[in-house]
Amino acid sequence: MITAHLPAGYALWRVVGGRSYARLVAALAGSALPDTDLLFFYFVDGGAIHHHRYWVHVPAFWLVVAAAALPISARAGLLDLAVVFLGAVFLHLALDSVTGGIMWLYPADDTLYEMVTVPATQAHRLLSFVLHWTFLLEFAIWGLAAVLWWRSRQVQGRPTHRN
């Protein structure tokens, strides 16, 4: 995924009953957080290691975070926010598994598992992704988010009738 993580987080928020803006922030933060490793990838590492090998893209790391955070957030009355946040993180990882590869079996295996390999057919790797058929999934996610947003506007605009 290149552009669809935030729309996917928005769609997740809507699907889980998106009324709370705190949940929206949790969903958007969780859907985008794993890609903060791109800052390190470009500005520190110089692209030497695939950014999906950094800890924020490793499911095992997030399982450890979940094991610690869920009981704490439950005691603090924030379990719903933690679940939405972690759900969005795992949605990010699942979407990255389509073409980007995720180390689902780490630490037992450090293989990047992907559903479809995008061949480097263009001069720039990013262009290869954009021109590959799997990029249609990005459009579909944007479309879903747009439909959910549009429907939420329709519901809010309806007058309420009381008998």
Side-chain angles (χ1 to χ4, degrees), residues 56-89:
V56 289
H57 269 97
V58 177
F61 167 77
W62 290 108
L63 290 174
V64 170
V65 168
L70 291 176
I72 293 168
S73 62
R75 276 184 248 130
L78 301 170
L79 183 61
D80 62 328
L81 296 178
V83 168
V84 169
F85 174 82
L86 290 165
V89 166

Side-chain angles (χ1 to χ4, degrees), residues 25-108:
V25 170
L28 294 178
S31 68
L33 182 80
D35 279 339
T36 59
D37 63 4
L38 287 169
L39 295 170
F40 188 85
F41 177 77
Y42 284 113
F43 298 117
V44 177
D45 191 27
I49 298 171
H50 190 300
H51 80 105
H52 286 187
R53 292 193 177 279
Y54 297 143
W55 57 272
V56 289
H57 269 97
V58 177
F61 167 77
W62 290 108
L63 290 174
V64 170
V65 168
L70 291 176
I72 293 168
S73 62
R75 276 184 248 130
L78 301 170
L79 183 61
D80 62 328
L81 296 178
V83 168
V84 169
F85 174 82
L86 290 165
V89 166
F90 278 94
L91 177 59
H92 179 113
L93 299 177
L95 291 173
D96 275 354
S97 296
V98 175
T99 60
I102 294 293
M103 294 189 296
W104 286 104
L105 300 179
Y106 187 85

Side-chain angles (χ1 to χ4, degrees), residues 3 13 39 44-45 47 49 55 64 66 108 111 118 121 125 153:
T3 67
W13 174 64
L39 295 170
V44 177
D45 191 27
I49 298 171
W55 57 272
V64 170
T111 302
V118 176
T121 58
R125 184 87 173 129
R153 300 286 131 214

